[in-house]
């Protein structure tokens, strides 16, 4: 396959929005891509819009767990394998569906996910930083924000 030249023209993107994504399985997938000649891969996560077609509020904890799993995949893979991560925010499941979570209700989730990726994890200090950045007094990750 590598003789075709395709691995020099494209970089695969591995999509998974699950809170419990299979870290070991993703690491094996990256190894398979590398054996096929792809030196770099991308990850795709979501900060909103990936938990239900009629979801109206964002459950931050689900998306935070997804990003923490992706960080585990990155740390378990060769250092030079990851090109980047596409942090997606889906608006609807298809063109005929109603809108799912709108951006304003998902801003706290976006902030939490970005800070987790930037800092390589999530802690009480990072939570406090997000609260300060957003002007919030109590950021909830395991329940829906009020």
């Amino acid at each position: 396959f590598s003789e075709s030249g395709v691995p020099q023209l494209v970089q695969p993107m591995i999509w998974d929005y699950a809170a419990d994504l299979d870290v070991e399985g993703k690491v094996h997938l990256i190894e398979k891509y590398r054996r096929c000649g792809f030196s770099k891969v991308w990850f795709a996560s979501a900060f909103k819009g990936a938990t239900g077609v009629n979801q109206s509020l964002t459950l931050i904890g689900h998306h935070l767990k997804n990003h923490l799993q992706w960080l585990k995949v990155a740390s378990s893979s060769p250092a030079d394998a990851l090109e980047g991560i596409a942090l997606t925010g889906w608006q609807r499941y298809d063109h005929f569906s109603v809108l799912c979570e709108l951006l304003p209700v998902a801003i706290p989730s976006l902030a939490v996910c970005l800070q987790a990726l930037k800092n390589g994890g999530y802690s009480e200090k990072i939570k406090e930083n997000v609260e300060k950045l957003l002007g919030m007094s109590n950021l909830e990750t395991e329940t829906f924000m009020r």
Side-chain angles (χ1 to χ4, degrees):
F1 183 79
S2 57
E3 297 82 33
S4 70
V6 171
Q8 288 70 45
L9 299 173
V10 298
Q11 294 174 335
M13 183 172 290
I14 305 169
W15 303 75
D16 197 327
Y17 307 142
D20 61 349
L21 74 84
D22 177 9
V23 172
E24 188 177 316
K26 295 293 182 270
V27 171
H28 289 307
L29 185 58
I30 292 165
E31 291 168 0
K32 286 181 182 179
Y33 278 127
R34 288 175 70 89
R35 283 195 304 271
C36 289
F38 294 98
S39 60
K40 300 282 187 184
V41 298
W42 288 78
F43 298 161
S45 64
F47 71 92
K48 76 173 201 79
T51 56
V53 67
N54 61 351
Q55 190 79 34
S56 58
L57 298 173
T58 306
L59 187 54
I60 297 169
H62 173 90
H63 300 289
L64 173 59
K65 289 172 188 164
N66 175 253
H67 287 89
L68 295 176
Q69 291 295 94
W70 277 120
L71 287 169
K72 289 179 186 175
V73 174
S75 68
S76 301
S77 301
D80 62 342
L82 179 62
E83 183 69 16
I85 184 165
L87 187 82
T88 67
W90 293 96
Q91 197 62 53
R92 64 178 77 205
Y93 279 59
D94 63 55
H95 295 291
F96 303 107
S97 296
V98 297
L99 297 176
C100 50
E101 304 122 280
L102 300 177
L103 182 61
V105 299
I107 293 292
S109 181
L110 176 60
V112 165
C113 293
L114 286 171
Q115 286 296 309
L117 291 174
K118 177 183 173 190
N119 292 286
Y122 192 72
S123 65
E124 188 62 32
K125 184 174 188 240
I126 293 169
K127 177 184 180 250
E128 291 170 7
N129 185 38
V130 171
E131 289 173 339
K132 184 178 175 186
L133 287 168
L134 297 177
M136 301 174 74
S137 59
N138 188 25
L139 178 68
E140 294 289 333
T141 58
E142 294 308 316
T143 60
F144 291 112
M145 295 293 297
R146 295 184 238 345

